[in-house]
Amino acid sequence: MPLRRARRRVRPAVRRPLLCALLAAALLVCGTAAGTVYVTARAQDGGGPAVSSAASSSVSPSASASTAPGADVEEASVEPVAVPEVDHDALLATALAEVPVEDGAAFSVAVLDVGAGDAAVYGSGRFETASIVKVDILAALLLQAQDADRGLTAREKAYAATMIRDSDNTAATELWKAIGEAEGLDAANERFGLTRTVGGDGLYWGLTRTTAADQLVLLRQVFGDDDESELSGASRTYVRGLMGRIAAGQDWGVSAAATADGSTDSSRGGFALKNGWLPRTATGLWVINSVGRVTVDGRDRLVAVVSHGNTTKAKGIALVEAAARAGVSVFSS
């Protein structure tokens, strides 16, 4: 009997540590499962990144056991992927590489996608304006009239119409003198933001020198909005209207890149432009330029192409038109 009682006393003492160990192991397993379920639920709920089965199995028992449902879990941050910037100048250079150019000829192009606000420029040299300066002359005249709080006179309007629509040189000379010749043009251009355009000497307005980039700035003055132009809405509408009604035979140039949009408003049709052409007396080579707005599949582009060193007018026109089409293609959707 004494021996029996002794054995009974020993058995509970042995069982207690064993039961405690089993209970602790069960708690650890439950805690790990609860932590894994919680993290997986957070991932599926949008609360954090998905956790793979491999990742779940790598969670330490101590970390899992300490995570209770409802507790905050540090979520992995996802870095935004940067959208690469488009180098429109490089795209324009690539497109223009396919344009055939005569030996000795040179050209420069500037294009603006009006809707997107993206621009591209090829070449930085200065070129003689020839008759594209007539848009600049009219813009300067309108700016001076705005400053004087007056409208154009009937004579000024008559000169402006023939100067732009028919490219009349006599009318251009009269308005050139009216704005104060090169000094008046340069003063207006400073306000317009043209930084590399210089008016021609004396009455040689056609020898004003400019860049394609500056001509794009001028086009924005004409075709832009109130917040980007020194010209009033009425002045801009007036210039656009004249550029949209160029005389037959003078509507070549950047218009080659346009597609008709079916508009009955001539100033909102497929194009509005001004061209310039001038044979240089000393060399017999041609200056051929074209600037304006073109509508391509319902979207507006501002385009300026300037060139010199062309052996004939026809070859210069072909160069300008090919360059305009290539320029516009850079922003085609």
Side-chain angles (χ1 to χ4, degrees), residues 271-298:
F271 63 88
L273 60 75
K274 183 70 191 80
N275 295 325
W277 58 100
L278 174 69
R280 297 308 307 270
T281 304
T283 63
L285 300 176
W286 285 80
V287 172
I288 304 291
N289 304 325
S290 184
V291 298
R293 174 194 56 77
V294 298
T295 303
V296 184
D297 298 328

Side-chain angles (χ1 to χ4, degrees), residues 183-244:
E183 183 177 355
L185 187 79
D186 293 345
N189 283 342
E190 184 174 357
R191 292 170 62 182
F192 291 148
L194 281 68
T195 59
R196 300 193 61 210
T197 300
V198 180
D201 293 335
L203 298 181
Y204 291 103
W205 43 261
L207 296 184
T208 296
R209 293 178 64 78
T210 192
T211 64
D214 261 12
Q215 288 303 300
L216 195 60
V217 173
L218 180 61
L219 289 172
R220 295 190 73 171
Q221 290 291 315
V222 174
F223 293 97
D225 299 324
D226 288 335
D227 59 351
E228 58 185 358
S229 179
E230 292 290 323
L231 297 175
S232 67
S235 293
R236 298 196 305 273
T237 299
Y238 181 65
V239 182
R240 293 173 188 174
L242 294 177
M243 293 178 69

Side-chain angles (χ1 to χ4, degrees), residues 4-323:
R4 253 183 187 174
R5 289 195 189 104
R7 284 178 181 172
R8 285 174 183 168
R9 290 191 192 99
V10 171
R11 282 173 189 161
V14 173
R15 287 193 187 110
R16 281 194 195 96
L18 181 59
L19 289 172
C20 290
L22 290 172
L23 181 59
L27 288 173
L28 285 174
V29 171
C30 292
T32 303
T36 303
V37 169
Y38 176 67
V39 173
T40 304
R42 288 281 290 172
Q44 293 172 347
D45 194 19
V51 180
S52 67
S53 58
S56 299
S57 64
S58 67
V59 178
S60 67
S62 59
S64 300
S66 64
T67 303
D72 290 335
V73 176
E74 184 176 349
E75 300 172 8
S77 61
V78 179
E79 293 293 332
V81 178
V83 178
E85 291 188 10
V86 177
D87 188 342
H88 290 104
D89 288 351
L91 291 176
L92 179 58
T94 300
L96 292 172
E98 303 299 320
V99 174
V101 186
E102 291 185 277
D103 289 340
F107 70 102
S108 182
V109 181
V111 185
L112 172 72
D113 183 330
V114 176
D118 296 323
V121 177
Y122 172 84
S124 60
R126 282 179 171 166
F127 294 75
E128 301 83 0
T129 58
S131 286
I132 62 170
V133 75
K134 292 169 181 176
V135 175
D136 205 358
I137 293 172
L138 179 54
L141 177 67
L142 289 166
L143 186 63
Q144 291 178 359
Q146 287 176 200
D147 291 344
D149 195 23
R150 71 173 183 86
L152 298 187
T153 66
R155 177 181 286 270
E156 286 172 337
K157 287 182 178 179
Y159 282 146
T162 58
M163 176 180 71
I164 300 296
R165 293 187 310 196
D166 304 317
S167 203
D168 185 86
N169 291 338
T170 300
T173 299
E174 291 301 318
L175 294 184
W176 176 254
K177 290 187 290 187
I179 65 171
E181 301 179 8
E183 183 177 355
L185 187 79
D186 293 345
N189 283 342
E190 184 174 357
R191 292 170 62 182
F192 291 148
L194 281 68
T195 59
R196 300 193 61 210
T197 300
V198 180
D201 293 335
L203 298 181
Y204 291 103
W205 43 261
L207 296 184
T208 296
R209 293 178 64 78
T210 192
T211 64
D214 261 12
Q215 288 303 300
L216 195 60
V217 173
L218 180 61
L219 289 172
R220 295 190 73 171
Q221 290 291 315
V222 174
F223 293 97
D225 299 324
D226 288 335
D227 59 351
E228 58 185 358
S229 179
E230 292 290 323
L231 297 175
S232 67
S235 293
R236 298 196 305 273
T237 299
Y238 181 65
V239 182
R240 293 173 188 174
L242 294 177
M243 293 178 69
R245 295 189 293 272
I246 296 297
Q250 295 186 19
D251 53 359
W252 46 266
V254 297
S255 55
T259 57
D261 65 356
S263 174
T264 56
D265 179 358
S266 59
S267 66
R268 292 294 308 161
F271 63 88
L273 60 75
K274 183 70 191 80
N275 295 325
W277 58 100
L278 174 69
R280 297 308 307 270
T281 304
T283 63
L285 300 176
W286 285 80
V287 172
I288 304 291
N289 304 325
S290 184
V291 298
R293 174 194 56 77
V294 298
T295 303
V296 184
D297 298 328
R299 296 171 58 186
D300 286 346
R301 313 283 194 277
L302 301 183
V303 187
V305 185
V306 290
S307 75
H308 56 205
N310 302 286
T311 56
T312 67
K313 180 181 178 181
K315 289 182 179 180
I317 291 174
L319 169 62
V320 165
E321 293 186 339

